[in-house]
Amino acid sequence: GAIGVGEGGGVSKADKETSDKAEAGHLARANAPQLSEFGQIVSSLGGENEVFLASVLMSANIFDGLEPHEVAAALSTLAAGEMRQGSACFLEPSQPVFDAVAQIEPVAVALLQAQARAGVDYPVSWSAQYAGLVQGWAAGMSWTEVMAETALDAGDVLRLLSRTIELLRGTLMAPYVPQHVRVSAREALSTFNRPPLQDDFLRQVQAAERASVRADATPEPRTPEEEDEEDVSENVGDSDDFDYVEGEPEYDEDMAAAIAQE
C-alpha cells in the first residue's frame, strides 16, 4: 500500500514501522514450515497414537475391496487394542477383515521401529479379537444379538462401539484419505450410530462404573484433625440436647463473651 510522507518530504516513522512489520510478516509466512499431507492427517485425528491411525489410513490397499461394515470392523481393531483382552467373543470377522488386519501389522512394526530409533514410546496396539462383534453391529445386528455373542459386559461393548464411531468420524473428516475409504466410513456410520449408542444408556453405564470405582476405592487415611472434626460432628448430631428451631438463632450474651475472651 502507499506509504505516508512526513512534513520534510520523507517517510514518517510510524508508516516506516508499519511497512517493516508487513514485510516481516510476509517473509515469515513465505518461510514458515508447511505440514505435509501426512502431518495434516495426524493433526486432524485423536486417539492413543494419531500417527499409527494416520499411517494405517495412508497405507495403500488396506481397505480396498472392503464393504462398509468391514471397514468399521478393520478400524475397530485399533480401538480394541486399547481394551483388556481375553473375554470370549463368538462372532468372527469376515476373511477380508482378517486380510486387512494382516496388512496393519507391518505398519505397526515399522512405526514401533521408528519410535525406538527416535527414543519415544507411544502405544501401538491393535487386536482383531472383537472385530466380528463390531462387524455384526455395523451390519445391522441388534443389541441383544450382539450381547448374546460375547462375554464382554455392556460397558466394554459400548466403549468399543463408541470408540469405533470416533475412528469412523475421524476417517470421514481427515484430509487426503482415499475417497473409497471415506465413502465406506460414511455408509458405516449411517447404520452404526443407533440406540443404545444414541440414547442415555451409555451415560448411565459410565455413571454406574464411576460409582462402582468409588465404592471399591480404599479410603485414604485421615489426619488427626479430620478425625477430631468428625467426632465433633457425630457428637452434635447424636446429642439429645440439640434441637433445631426454625427462624433466627437467639443471641446468647454469655456465649458471645466467652468466645471473645478466648
Side-chain angles (χ1 to χ4, degrees):
I3 298 177
V5 178
E7 294 180 356
V11 177
S12 69
K13 182 178 180 180
D15 285 339
K16 181 65 166 62
E17 290 179 352
T18 300
S19 177
D20 289 345
K21 289 178 181 178
E23 181 65 19
H26 174 75
L27 292 174
R29 287 190 296 272
N31 296 317
Q34 300 296 315
L35 280 177
S36 65
E37 292 183 2
F38 183 78
Q40 292 179 56
I41 293 180
V42 171
S43 66
S44 71
L45 298 171
E48 268 196 338
N49 191 332
E50 296 89 345
V51 174
F52 183 30
L53 176 56
S55 299
V56 170
L57 291 177
M58 289 293 285
S59 297
N61 305 323
I62 286 184
F63 300 102
D64 286 0
L66 297 187
E67 296 294 327
H69 56 85
E70 292 172 329
V71 169
L75 283 173
S76 77
T77 63
L78 307 183
E82 306 169 8
M83 299 176 56
R84 58 184 175 86
Q85 305 296 307
S87 296
C89 181
F90 306 108
L91 290 171
E92 286 198 353
S94 60
Q95 188 58 47
V97 174
F98 277 123
D99 295 341
V101 174
Q103 296 182 70
I104 290 175
E105 182 173 356
V107 175
V109 171
L111 179 57
L112 284 169
Q113 293 172 344
Q115 289 187 171
R117 289 193 297 270
V120 296
D121 185 25
Y122 294 110
V124 179
S125 56
W126 72 102
S127 172
Q129 182 171 357
Y130 307 120
L133 182 153
V134 174
Q135 184 174 346
W137 177 260
M141 289 181 66
S142 70
W143 176 256
T144 301
E145 290 171 333
V146 167
M147 291 304 301
E149 299 292 339
T150 181
L152 287 170
D153 61 35
D156 286 334
V157 175
L158 283 168
R159 273 191 295 274
L160 174 60
L161 296 179
S162 297
R163 179 66 182 122
T164 303
I165 286 178
E166 292 176 8
L167 292 172
L168 287 168
R169 286 175 177 163
T171 300
L172 182 60
M173 301 303 296
Y176 306 112
V177 173
Q179 182 63 21
H180 69 283
V181 179
R182 196 188 306 275
V183 170
S184 292
R186 181 182 294 108
E187 292 183 13
L189 277 171
S190 67
T191 58
F192 206 94
N193 192 14
R194 52 193 165 92
L197 295 181
Q198 284 184 327
D199 60 17
D200 291 335
F201 186 38
L202 177 57
R203 284 189 290 274
Q204 293 171 5
V205 169
Q206 292 171 335
E209 288 175 345
R210 287 194 295 268
S212 176
V213 169
R214 287 195 295 269
D216 294 339
T218 302
E220 296 182 359
R222 295 172 298 172
T223 64
E225 291 79 5
E226 290 174 334
E227 291 180 350
D228 290 340
E229 289 176 1
E230 182 172 342
D231 290 340
V232 170
S233 176
E234 290 177 351
N235 290 336
V236 170
D238 295 337
S239 174
D240 295 333
D241 298 331
F242 182 79
D243 294 318
Y244 175 74
V245 180
E246 290 186 351
E248 293 294 326
E250 295 182 0
Y251 181 73
D252 190 326
E253 294 183 355
D254 294 335
M255 179 64 74
I259 294 173
Q261 291 175 358
E262 292 182 355

